[in-house]
Amino acid sequence: MNPFPSTEKKETRAGFGDGLLELGKQNQDVVALSADLSGSLKMDAFIGVFPDRFIQVGIAEANMISIAAGLTIGGKIPFTGTFANFSTGRVYDQIRQSVAYSNKNVKICASHAGLTLGEDGATHQILEDIGMMRMLPNMTVIVPCDYNQTRAATLAIADYFGPVYLRFGRPKVPNFTPPDQPFEIGKAQKLVDGEDVTIIATGHMVWQALEAREILLEKGIRAEVINIHTIKPFDEEAVLNSVKKTGCVVTAEEHQRNGGLGDAVAQLLCRYYPAPVEMVAVNDSFGESGKPEELMVKYGLDSAHIIDAALKVGSRHS
Amino acid sequence: MYDLTAIASQVRRDVIRMISAVQSGHPGGSLGCADFFTVLYFDVLRHNPTTFTMDGKGEDLFFLSNGHLSAAWYSVLARSGYFPVRELGSFRKLNSRLQGHPTTHEGLPGIRMSSGSLGQGLSVGAGAGLAKKMNRDDHLVYVLTGDGELQEGQIWEAAMFAAARKIDNLIVTVDYNNKQIDGPVDQVVSLGNLRAKWEAFGWEVLEMNGNDIPDVQNTLGKARSQCGKEKPVVILMHTEMGFGVDFMMGTHKWHGSAPNAEQTAVALGQLKETVGDY
């Protein structure tokens, strides 16, 4: 049975909002910015308690990123909040020059990432952001898997000096990791031991991986499940250790196949330990309007597709 | 008291020598703004060149939004004590801290933000100004932008924001030389009535001749006295691109071209060595 029973569903973005409020109490240097999406980012509680440390920038994301970079000069730790689409693609050059290349202590906090944004459709469903961000030197890329982990990650990135991209989402999803967990940037989490196949997942897909593991077990396949909450820096050792044991890998992410977690795993394995890899990811297409769960099924991002991938990669291995 | 005219002449010599040595760089804007840079760094800024800190608490700050004016900026930084003057000879060369466009990446004292991709410096200055207000630090933030750079939309995002937030510790200077790479700004995409635009955005607008040192001193003084009055301040600084070298003036051709050996000799003949070449 699933060793991580979920008692309730919560939004990962609420984990960000609650983490931000806690940070506000802990660290006087933390300031928050939003580009007219503070409610969607669950920043209201922070704004209520710390109105003087919130900067409403309006619908001007490029301005927001560069203002955040400027705020670091003076010792502030700015957390910017908008949708993932407007946090990355729209402002790539601002992030590249004023944040990453300048190595500024800006935390780019991005909600509504991926298909689970739902009905607003492909204009808002960014599936390329992990790739864009992990290509940038100096950038740390974090994709927590549930509410508790998003809250923990929000707290952890304030204590780390440097640019961070923190990606989370819109819908309520199972909240299965422990409250008040320590969050170690760059450290993979092995959730379940297994010998036959390694499933490496990130974000909303970690729960799907755990569900897939249950079904695979019924079929006599013991899958090891690893949560990669930090895509960069990438925990190479944890992945290599697992794959040396299982010999094959399924990756799962709410992102394009190009540039994401699957790419990071494949890049690692082809250099140090060639092994079959199947990638559960969006295959070079845009999304569309629909309910989040409908979209995840249509675009192949659910436990059924992870199971299929595990069976396929297992046959390639043997 | 510094002899600002003498320093400005040396800065112009540095610019020509640095760019000529690597046959690469942007002499026009650096020459046009040499007087402004000199006044700013030797007469206006309250700063601590020998104890540079990134967060700049308790100091005035300067951000160069039009990063291609790096040569003149490096010259005044070195000559005001941020790093050894001899290092100017490494400009744009391999393994140098003096990159083609300014960067924090190589740890060069005096630089707090990378620039080169245009349009970002005003937002950065607004953020730094906000941080100073939050820190109850009454020092000021200065930003230099180009005029062609005002075609970037982000400039106007920042202009709207700074006025709305009453960021009144911010002094932006526009290098208004009406030249950009492809020709006169008026012909590329006209800025229209630039004073009226800034006024409509809610800024205090001043104008000066950027190649008249006393006017630059007086106007920067006025700008400082306008701070703290709930409006950001912009100075439309009329300059001549290439000022100080006759064949570089009156044309946009020297925006991003290096003089050859013969042209360098002519240029240096027009620029007096005053406080010593690097």
Side-chain angles (χ1 to χ4, degrees):
Chain A
M1 71 174 268
N2 190 331
F4 297 92
S6 169
T7 53
E8 56 175 339
K9 287 188 168 186
K10 291 179 95 166
E11 300 141 322
T12 49
R13 56 181 164 139
F16 165 70
D18 291 347
L20 188 65
L21 175 63
E22 178 62 27
L23 261 185
K25 297 171 188 164
Q26 290 180 7
N27 191 330
Q28 290 298 311
D29 291 328
V30 168
V31 297
L33 301 88
S34 183
D36 199 33
L37 283 170
S38 59
S40 296
L41 272 281
K42 303 289 184 188
M43 300 165 100
D44 295 338
F46 178 94
I47 296 167
V49 180
F50 307 105
D52 297 339
R53 287 156 62 188
F54 172 69
I55 299 155
Q56 174 60 265
V57 179
I59 308 168
E61 294 81 7
N63 196 30
M64 177 170 72
I65 296 295
S66 303
I67 288 170
L71 280 161
T72 66
I73 299 163
K76 301 301 171 195
I77 307 174
F79 282 63
T80 66
T82 183
F83 289 175
N85 188 29
F86 313 135
S87 294
T88 55
R90 191 177 179 92
V91 293
Y92 198 69
D93 186 49
Q94 283 76 16
I95 294 175
R96 182 176 180 274
Q97 174 167 285
S98 296
V99 178
Y101 186 41
S102 295
N103 199 31
K104 295 305 180 195
N105 197 19
V106 175
K107 316 303 174 185
I108 299 162
C109 303
S111 184
H112 293 56
L115 293 173
T116 52
L117 169 137
E119 294 82 350
D120 278 349
T123 52
H124 289 49
Q125 291 161 344
I126 196 156
L127 294 162
E128 306 85 39
D129 54 326
I130 293 173
M132 282 189 278
M133 290 297 114
R134 67 181 272 267
M135 274 201 294
L136 284 173
N138 285 345
M139 185 62 74
T140 291
V141 180
I142 295 177
V143 188
C145 64
D146 68 0
Y147 166 93
N148 282 338
Q149 192 158 80
T150 307
R151 185 180 181 281
T154 304
L155 295 171
I157 61 177
D159 289 332
Y160 161 82
F161 182 92
V164 174
Y165 179 61
L166 179 67
R167 181 204 215 226
F168 41 91
R170 175 185 172 224
K172 288 185 174 167
V173 293
N175 183 30
F176 57 97
T177 64
D180 301 319
Q181 61 189 287
F183 187 92
E184 202 173 339
I185 295 170
K187 199 80 183 158
Q189 274 187 321
K190 192 201 289 181
L191 297 178
V192 189
D193 275 310
E195 291 78 34
D196 300 326
V197 58
T198 302
I199 303 175
I200 300 173
T202 193
H204 291 151
M205 293 303 288
V206 175
W207 180 256
Q208 299 297 321
L210 289 169
E211 300 241 287
R213 179 240 174 208
E214 298 305 300
I215 310 294
L216 288 167
L217 202 55
E218 290 168 12
K219 297 176 189 290
I221 296 166
R222 293 158 302 168
E224 182 148 298
V225 179
I226 294 177
N227 170 23
I228 295 286
H229 57 54
T230 307
I231 294 184
K232 186 184 175 190
F234 192 60
D235 191 345
E236 300 188 342
E237 192 184 352
V239 171
L240 285 172
N241 285 342
S242 178
V243 179
K244 282 173 184 169
K245 182 172 61 173
T246 63
C248 58
V249 183
V250 173
T251 63
E253 62 195 303
E254 191 181 346
H255 187 268
Q256 298 287 353
R257 184 181 292 178
N258 289 328
L261 172 67
D263 258 9
V265 170
Q267 195 180 106
L268 171 72
L269 293 181
C270 73
R271 287 177 68 205
Y272 298 112
Y273 195 81
V277 180
E278 289 291 330
M279 298 178 189
V280 174
V282 175
N283 186 13
D284 200 26
S285 91
F286 291 103
E288 64 183 83
S289 292
K291 288 190 170 63
E293 55 273 24
E294 294 171 342
L295 291 163
M296 295 295 265
V297 171
K298 174 165 178 178
Y299 287 85
L301 305 184
D302 59 357
S303 57
H305 285 83
I306 295 175
I307 293 162
D308 290 348
L311 296 173
K312 187 174 175 192
V313 83
S315 68
R316 286 174 61 196
H317 174 48
S318 55
Chain B
M1 289 297 288
Y2 294 100
D3 181 344
L4 298 174
T5 304
I7 295 171
S9 179
Q10 190 67 52
V11 168
R12 289 190 166 92
R13 280 185 72 85
D14 289 347
V15 165
I16 293 295
R17 295 180 70 237
M18 290 160 71
I19 292 172
S20 178
V22 283
Q23 285 297 294
S24 164
H26 301 78
S30 275
L31 293 173
C33 291
D35 301 308
F36 168 79
F37 276 112
T38 300
V39 172
L40 188 68
Y41 272 79
F42 289 88
D43 190 45
V44 172
L45 284 182
R46 296 166 291 176
H47 61 146
N48 307 309
T50 55
T51 55
F52 173 75
T53 61
M54 185 54 76
D55 68 15
K57 287 180 182 168
E59 294 184 74
D60 291 338
L61 305 177
F62 172 71
F63 297 102
L64 181 68
S65 191
N66 47 343
H68 56 278
L69 271 58
S70 53
W73 194 21
Y74 293 148
S75 171
V76 290
L77 284 173
R79 293 192 177 276
S80 59
Y82 280 91
F83 58 86
V85 170
R86 66 174 179 278
E87 201 170 338
L88 294 174
S90 72
F91 177 62
R92 286 188 169 233
K93 292 177 180 166
L94 195 63
N95 301 319
S96 172
R97 299 197 293 181
L98 279 60
Q99 291 290 295
H101 292 82
T103 176
T104 59
H105 196 65
E106 314 298 333
L108 188 68
I111 295 178
R112 295 188 170 90
M113 185 64 65
S114 305
S115 60
S117 176
L118 295 172
Q120 301 180 28
L122 196 48
S123 307
V124 169
L130 273 179
K132 287 215 175 286
K133 284 176 169 288
M134 289 177 170
N135 291 337
R136 304 191 192 291
D137 175 348
D138 63 2
H139 288 74
L140 302 177
V141 177
Y142 295 84
V143 176
L144 179 65
T145 76
D147 52 1
E149 184 178 6
L150 304 185
Q151 291 157 353
E152 292 280 7
Q154 189 182 345
I155 290 284
W156 301 101
E157 293 181 6
M160 194 186 310
F161 175 83
R165 294 281 147 192
K166 300 183 169 57
I167 302 176
D168 56 8
N169 55 0
L170 178 62
I171 299 173
V172 174
T173 300
V174 177
D175 178 19
Y176 202 4
N177 59 19
N178 194 32
K179 306 261 186 319
Q180 60 186 112
I181 295 175
D182 276 357
V185 177
D186 281 347
Q187 290 176 23
V188 176
V189 172
S190 172
L191 300 173
N193 187 335
L194 191 56
R195 170 180 269 274
K197 280 189 171 67
W198 285 102
E199 285 173 348
F201 272 76
W203 287 57
E204 184 68 32
V205 185
L206 304 174
E207 298 198 42
M208 67 185 178
N209 177 354
N211 297 126
D212 177 336
I213 285 176
D215 192 21
V216 174
Q217 288 178 284
N218 290 336
T219 310
L220 283 172
K222 261 185 230 164
R224 283 199 305 275
S225 68
Q226 286 297 328
C227 287
K229 297 182 179 175
E230 304 203 332
K231 285 170 91 172
V233 180
V234 62
I235 304 169
L236 305 182
M237 178 172 75
H238 300 272
T239 64
E240 182 71 51
M241 185 183 268
F243 191 87
V245 176
D246 57 8
F247 64 87
M248 290 185 172
M249 293 165 66
T251 170
H252 63 275
K253 305 274 189 241
W254 292 95
H255 165 89
S257 313
N260 63 26
E262 193 183 334
Q263 291 163 331
T264 298
V266 173
L268 293 178
Q270 298 173 17
L271 299 168
K272 197 173 169 196
E273 182 181 352
T274 53
V275 292
D277 286 341
Y278 63 83

